[in-house]
């Protein structure tokens, strides 16, 4: 017997409709490429998203056609999120930090028809357009009078003239909720990048789940600043969850330095922010160097890479900001786990609570996870045994766009490529990417643990640990370190700092001081590149 409830597809247009109707006056504030601050409301945003939809009709774009963006976090990008997907086209957010050859490759692979870009990326568009064979229209996200003359980019129009010509009476089409809504290519550390193709259903369910109290806990009372880019995994779904709750949105645009972020947070009374550790590191350095405090920030969700304990402590102890450590990936829309404590942890001493907060957290309803051994056998949830992490759920990919890479699933589960432990309360702790784990004398050393201890040293700004081949132990860890400006620490001092903090055999064999650690397009440490840089490195003879 079927239930007798209304059947209404979960569509992305429904989110902005809701925000317009119920939170029409809630603000969306953006720092623009021009440097000034732009502010308007959800009502204004919804109106202009409908104009975007009309403008796409005007270009004769078909249902399911791809519209690409090369853009920062800002109000025009948000309008494209809703206007493109809401009208049945697919929003393809491209990461502008990728190499131009990679951008060309993915634009062609996605068969993008339109490319909308912020003016900061004009040189990039000039470098790639001749090789992007499917793009028919280029839209510069600016006013008509800012449209670059003689840019060499064919059929270039300004966003404002393009949507300005449209009526706002567009009616969102209703279609199957399993229709594709947006796509994002993975970082592609091995081989060509592959795309996750999200649907209206998966994105809406993810937005619901992300807003839950034990997940990102987003409400109409929040002012959210997503530093996580809208060009990578939909800024962790925040543009959708914010509309679903009516939260104020504050977009940083291109200004990601500590000073700009801090000033925006203070000016807009931001209560909640989301970012990767490398960006927060710049913010914390700015705060401590200038003796500043946050007056409204209460919580921050940190993920994308392991959040070092020193960062969680600094936010918590020095600034009274709760850190929610999150784990996920492009293939998971991206949220998988988030770390909040349970009631039973209330009575624990601070130190014990911190041990839990350092973990990547508990699975969100909608994500099922397990750890398995090499034979695929499920391993116990004892917080000690680690294995390959597999996941499944309605916002996790079934396959990549165009079937690239074949069937990724193993008995219906998606192998994440991460290695971790799960404890009896279901808290996941990521040890490493499976290819980064260091195998020493038959035991595994977590490169994340080695890095976390190094960055807890007051003179260390950033650290990256890799394994170096060793004749006896197979591999031994070394740690590459960037010192904080004006700070000093020697190799021996840093190695001494490890004593008592980890087992003796897990202490790295050496410290290599470097000026910078190579970061990938999503702010993650590029261990492949670091290995290449240190290819002639020899372990000290012991
Ligand atoms: P991406 O698909 O670019 O978002 O990268 C996903 C990968 O980032 C995951 O598979 C993890 O290896 C890593 N990652 C994300 N969040 C965390 C975290 N909190 N701790 C450790 N690694 C993380």
């Amino acid at each position: 017997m079927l239930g007798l409830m209304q059947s209404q597809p979960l569509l992305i247009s429904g989110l902005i409709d809701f925000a317009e109707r119920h939170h029409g006056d809630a603000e969306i504030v953006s720092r623009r490429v021009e440097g000034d601050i732009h502010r308007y409301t959800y009502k204004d945003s919804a109106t202009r998203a409908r104009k975007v939809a009309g403008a796409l009709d005007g270009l004769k774009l078909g249902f399911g056609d791809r519209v690409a963006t090369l853009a920062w976090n800002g109000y025009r990008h948000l309008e494209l999120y809703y206007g493109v997907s809401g009208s049945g086209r697919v929003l393809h957010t491209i990461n502008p930090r990728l190499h131009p050859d990679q951008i060309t490759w993915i634009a062609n692979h996605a068969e993008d028809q339109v490319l909308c870009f912020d003016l900061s990326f004009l040189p990039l568009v000039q470098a790639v357009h001749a090789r992007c064979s499917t793009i028919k229209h280029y839209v510069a996200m600016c006013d008509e009078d800012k449209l670059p003359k003689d840019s060499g980019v064919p059929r270039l129009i300004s966003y404002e003239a393009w949507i300005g010509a449209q009526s706002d009476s567009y009616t969102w089409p209703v279609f199957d909720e399993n229709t594709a809504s947006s796509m994002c290519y993975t970082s592609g550390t091995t081989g060509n990048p592959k795309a996750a193709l999200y649907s209206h259903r998966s994105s809406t369910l993810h937005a619901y789940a992300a807003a839950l109290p034990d997940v990102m806990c987003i409400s109409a009372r929040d002012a959210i600043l997503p530093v996580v880019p809208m060009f990578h995994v939909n800024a962790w779904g925040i543009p959708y969850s914010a509309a679903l709750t009516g939260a104020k949105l504050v977009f940083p645009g291109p200004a990601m330095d500590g000073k700009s972020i801090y000033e925006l947070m203070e000016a807009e009374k931001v209560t909640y922010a989301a970012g990767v550790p490398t960006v927060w590191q710049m913010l914390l350095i700015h705060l401590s160097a200038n003796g500043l405090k946050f007056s409204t920030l209460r919580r921050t969700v940190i993920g994308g890479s392991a959040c070092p304990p020193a960062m969680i402590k600094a936010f918590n102890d020095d600034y009274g900001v709760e850190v929610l450590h999150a784990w996920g990936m492009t293939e998971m829309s991206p949220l998988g786990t988030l770390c909040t404590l349970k009631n039973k942890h209330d009575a624990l001493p601070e130190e014990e609570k911190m041990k839990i907060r350092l973990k990547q957290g508990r699975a969100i309803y909608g994500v099922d996870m397990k750890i398995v051994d090499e034979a695929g056998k499920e391993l116990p949830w004892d917080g000690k045994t680690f294995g390959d992490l597999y996941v499944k759920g309605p916002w996790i990919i079934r396959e990549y766009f165009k079937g690239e890479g074949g069937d990724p699933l193993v008995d219906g589960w998606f192998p994440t490529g991460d290695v971790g432990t799960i404890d009896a309360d279901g808290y996941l702790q990521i040890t490493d990417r499976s290819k980064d784990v260091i195998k020493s004398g038959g035991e595994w050393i977590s490169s994340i643990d080695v890095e976390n201890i190094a960055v807890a040293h007051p003179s260390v700004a950033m650290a990256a640990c890799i394994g170096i081949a060793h004749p006896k132990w197979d591999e031994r860890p070394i740690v590459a370190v960037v010192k904080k400006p004006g700070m000093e620490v020697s190799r021996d001092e840093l190695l001494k700092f490890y004593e008592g903090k980890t087992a003796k055999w897990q202490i790295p064999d050496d410290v290599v001081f470097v000026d910078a650690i190579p970061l990938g397009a999503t702010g993650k440490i590029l261990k492949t590149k670091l290995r290449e840089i240190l290819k002639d490195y020899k372990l000290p003879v012991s």
Side-chain angles (χ1 to χ4, degrees):
M1 184 162 41
L2 290 178
L4 293 175
M5 309 312 282
Q6 296 180 12
S7 166
Q8 188 177 318
L10 300 172
L11 298 179
I12 281 172
S13 54
L15 298 172
I16 195 71
D17 265 355
F18 176 84
E20 180 180 28
R21 197 164 161 79
H22 299 278
H23 302 280
D25 62 351
E27 274 189 308
I28 298 169
V29 179
S30 314
R31 192 194 292 279
R32 304 204 299 176
V33 172
E34 295 89 329
D36 62 344
I37 298 290
H38 172 275
R39 64 179 69 237
Y40 71 174
T41 63
Y42 275 109
K43 186 163 182 25
D44 301 324
S45 183
T47 304
R48 283 166 53 95
R50 285 193 291 272
K51 288 179 177 236
V52 168
L56 292 168
D57 285 356
L59 297 182
K60 302 269 176 292
L61 241 67
F63 195 74
D65 278 350
R66 267 76 70 202
V67 177
T69 60
L70 274 171
W72 302 109
N73 291 8
Y75 66 105
R76 291 185 180 117
H77 207 173
L78 186 73
E79 293 158 11
L80 287 161
Y81 261 56
Y82 286 104
V84 173
S85 306
S87 65
R89 283 88 184 199
V90 178
L91 181 81
H92 173 202
T93 53
I94 303 182
N95 186 336
R97 299 201 182 107
L98 292 172
H99 188 276
D101 289 349
Q102 273 176 314
I103 292 181
T104 312
W105 190 91
I106 64 176
N108 285 329
H109 188 263
E111 299 172 54
D112 295 331
Q113 305 275 312
V114 183
L115 173 61
C116 303
F117 62 95
D118 272 332
L119 279 185
S120 355
F121 304 120
L122 177 64
L124 196 50
V125 177
Q126 286 169 321
V128 300
H129 74 81
R131 290 178 287 152
C132 294
S133 53
T134 58
I135 302 179
K136 298 196 196 87
H137 309 277
Y138 290 88
V139 181
M141 292 160 70
C142 63
D143 290 320
E144 179 67 11
D145 61 353
K146 298 267 175 2
L147 190 68
K149 307 275 174 291
D150 308 321
S151 66
V153 178
R155 299 172 301 285
L156 182 62
I157 49 175
S158 79
Y159 183 85
E160 293 302 333
W162 183 48
I163 70 162
Q166 301 300 319
S167 124
D168 62 3
S169 62
Y170 182 91
T171 306
W172 298 116
V174 175
F175 43 78
D176 184 341
E177 63 183 16
N178 290 301
T179 302
S181 57
S182 66
M183 67 198 299
C184 178
Y185 280 75
T186 59
S187 323
T189 41
T190 49
N192 279 327
K194 298 193 279 290
L197 187 62
Y198 311 114
S199 70
H200 285 257
R201 174 184 158 81
S202 71
S203 303
T204 311
L205 289 176
H206 181 271
Y208 258 117
L212 284 170
D214 264 356
V215 188
M216 292 215 264
C217 190
I218 297 178
S219 93
R221 287 173 297 284
D222 278 312
I224 307 179
L225 187 143
V227 181
V228 283
M230 289 167 77
F231 58 68
H232 187 60
V233 215
N234 300 328
W236 300 352
I238 290 173
Y240 303 131
S241 295
L244 178 143
T245 53
K248 171 176 173 177
L249 272 170
V250 182
F251 289 127
M256 239 75 96
D257 60 287
K259 182 170 183 289
S260 306
I261 295 285
Y262 175 75
E263 285 173 1
L264 195 59
M265 282 178 166
E266 289 298 299
E268 296 304 326
K269 301 193 171 21
V270 167
T271 57
Y272 190 40
V276 296
T278 39
V279 174
W280 280 169
Q281 182 72 9
M282 293 193 287
L283 179 66
L284 289 177
I285 289 176
H286 175 73
L287 259 75
S288 83
N290 296 284
L292 302 167
K293 295 276 180 206
F294 296 111
S295 42
T296 53
L297 187 70
R298 298 283 165 265
R299 303 186 313 284
T300 170
V301 54
I302 302 185
S305 310
C307 181
M311 182 170 284
I312 301 187
K313 283 202 181 82
F315 267 115
N316 190 67
D317 302 352
D318 304 344
Y319 302 105
V321 174
E322 184 189 4
V323 169
L324 305 169
H325 194 190
W327 167 85
M329 60 197 308
T330 308
E331 289 87 339
M332 301 176 68
S333 304
L335 289 178
T337 64
L338 203 125
C339 197
T340 53
L341 303 192
K342 294 185 175 183
N343 267 352
K344 67 181 194 183
H345 299 130
D346 282 354
L348 288 177
E350 263 319 301
E351 221 171 277
E352 292 303 307
K353 283 188 193 166
M354 185 54 81
K355 280 190 193 147
I356 303 171
R357 286 207 183 94
L358 299 180
K359 299 191 175 192
Q360 276 75 3
R362 292 180 277 127
I364 301 165
Y365 171 77
V367 174
D368 203 0
M369 64 182 183
K370 65 176 181 180
I371 44 172
V372 300
D373 66 13
E374 277 166 16
K377 193 167 130 304
E378 187 161 359
L379 294 166
W381 290 21
D382 58 11
K384 291 195 291 282
T385 315
F386 45 88
D388 291 317
L389 178 62
Y390 283 32
V391 290
K392 65 175 176 182
W395 56 79
I396 295 165
I397 64 157
R398 181 176 73 221
E399 61 180 85
Y400 290 98
F401 181 54
K402 292 186 172 170
E404 291 296 337
D407 180 2
L409 304 190
V410 180
D411 297 331
W413 292 79
F414 177 72
T416 62
D418 286 335
V419 173
T421 61
I422 304 176
D423 69 19
D425 288 321
Y427 286 81
L428 166 75
Q429 182 150 30
I430 300 286
T431 318
D432 248 316
R433 288 294 291 165
S434 53
K435 57 186 184 319
D436 293 336
V437 99
I438 295 149
K439 296 173 188 96
S440 177
E443 297 286 349
W444 285 12
I445 298 175
S446 155
S447 66
I448 294 177
D449 287 350
V450 175
E451 288 156 10
N452 281 346
I453 296 174
V455 291
H457 190 282
S459 297
V460 173
M462 204 188 274
C465 169
I466 56 169
I468 299 284
H470 188 282
K472 178 166 173 201
W473 301 113
D474 200 10
E475 269 184 337
R476 288 295 302 153
I478 62 159
V479 62
V481 163
V482 180
K483 284 184 259 189
K484 282 188 187 156
M487 306 288 271
E488 274 313 320
V489 58
S490 70
R491 167 191 183 274
D492 292 348
E493 276 163 1
L494 195 56
L495 292 180
K496 193 134 190 55
F497 186 70
Y498 276 89
E499 287 173 16
K501 297 188 176 71
T502 186
K504 233 175 156 177
W505 58 273
Q506 292 175 336
I507 297 178
D509 278 15
D510 200 8
V511 178
V512 182
F513 291 101
V514 290
D515 293 336
I517 284 171
L519 297 179
T522 55
K524 290 187 218 304
I525 294 170
L526 268 188
K527 298 239 168 139
T528 38
K529 190 82 180 277
L530 184 64
R531 286 193 196 96
E532 218 175 280
I533 294 169
L534 298 177
K535 67 179 186 314
D536 297 326
Y537 168 86
K538 296 263 173 311
L539 277 173
V541 191
S542 51

